[in-house]
Structures are given as structure tokens and as C-alpha cells.
Amino acid sequence: MAERVAGPEIERLIHLLARLPGLGPRSARRAALHLIRKREELLAPLASALKVACETIVTCRTCGNIDTCDPCTLCRDERRDSGTLIVVETVADLWALERAGVLSARYHVLGGTCRRSTALAPKI
């Protein structure tokens, strides 16, 4: 049976979609087929949005959030409590707290964690 059933452009689209979280090869193939079938309504606007995002999204030098401006929208908001700093691991954590709408503070995004090697961890 043939490994390739489509041209290299379609196979590349499937391969790139499969790299997204939650999408395996079969889901990526279904998503690619859906995008191709809805080329004018979905594929073209998505491609345009991805291009604009690639060209305009920056990391805020103040807090580490991502936005289209630096400092980001949150850092420029004067209504935020400047006496409270919330340290989060990722931008996804920051966005989750913002969606919850329970805080109006400043943030600092660590950008990942530093996991200690168990070989270096103290023995208890």
C-alpha cells in the first residue's frame, strides 16, 4: 500500500498539524481534509491569521506575556494593582487567571520550570 496519498504540500500540512498538542496523525489528516474542503472559509483566513501572528506577536519585556505590543496590554493597564505580583510558569497560566477574572494584579511569566536532577537532590 502506498505511504503517500497526496502531494508534498498536503503531506507537509498534515505533518505540521500533527505537531500541535492533542492532534495525532489521524486527527491531523482529518483536520487537513476539513481545511482543504473549506478552503475559502477556513484555510485562507487561517493562513492569513497565522502570517499576521508570526509577524506581529512579541514577548513583553516587562512580564513575559505575549501580545502584539510591548509592553503588553496587561502591563499598560493602569487600573491593575501594582503592589501585587503573581508569578506564573507559562503564558497559558496567566491567560487562565485572566479568564477567571478574580485578580487585577501584575504578572511575571517564568517561561518554564527548572527541574532538579534526582541525582543532585538531597537524600532524606
Side-chain angles (χ1 to χ4, degrees):
M1 184 169 237
E3 287 185 27
R4 274 197 172 162
V5 294
E9 296 83 4
I10 296 171
E11 291 295 331
R12 182 168 185 258
L13 175 62
I14 294 166
H15 174 74
L16 290 170
L17 288 171
R19 294 176 64 185
L20 292 171
L23 289 183
R26 289 174 59 193
S27 296
R29 191 167 299 281
R30 282 193 300 272
L33 287 171
H34 184 74
L35 287 168
I36 292 165
R37 275 191 229 113
K38 304 280 186 171
R39 191 173 317 188
E40 295 302 314
E41 301 134 62
L42 288 175
L43 186 58
L46 177 61
S48 176
L50 288 170
K51 183 177 184 327
V52 170
C54 186
E55 293 169 352
T56 60
I57 292 175
V58 295
T59 300
C60 177
R61 286 181 278 162
T62 305
C63 72
N65 187 19
I66 56 173
D67 202 336
T68 55
C69 55
D70 184 20
C72 72
T73 304
L74 299 177
C75 287
R76 294 175 0 165
D77 185 353
E78 295 176 6
R79 298 170 294 170
R80 293 193 168 267
D81 178 5
S82 60
T84 304
L85 181 67
I86 300 170
V87 179
V88 295
E89 181 180 347
T90 66
V91 171
D93 299 326
L94 183 156
W95 289 0
L97 287 170
E98 280 298 299
R99 275 193 314 274
V102 294
L103 305 164
S104 184
R106 304 280 180 191
Y107 292 94
H108 177 75
V109 180
L110 293 174
T113 59
C114 178
R115 305 216 188 274
R116 286 178 40 169
S117 167
T118 54
L120 299 176
K123 300 202 191 283
I124 301 177

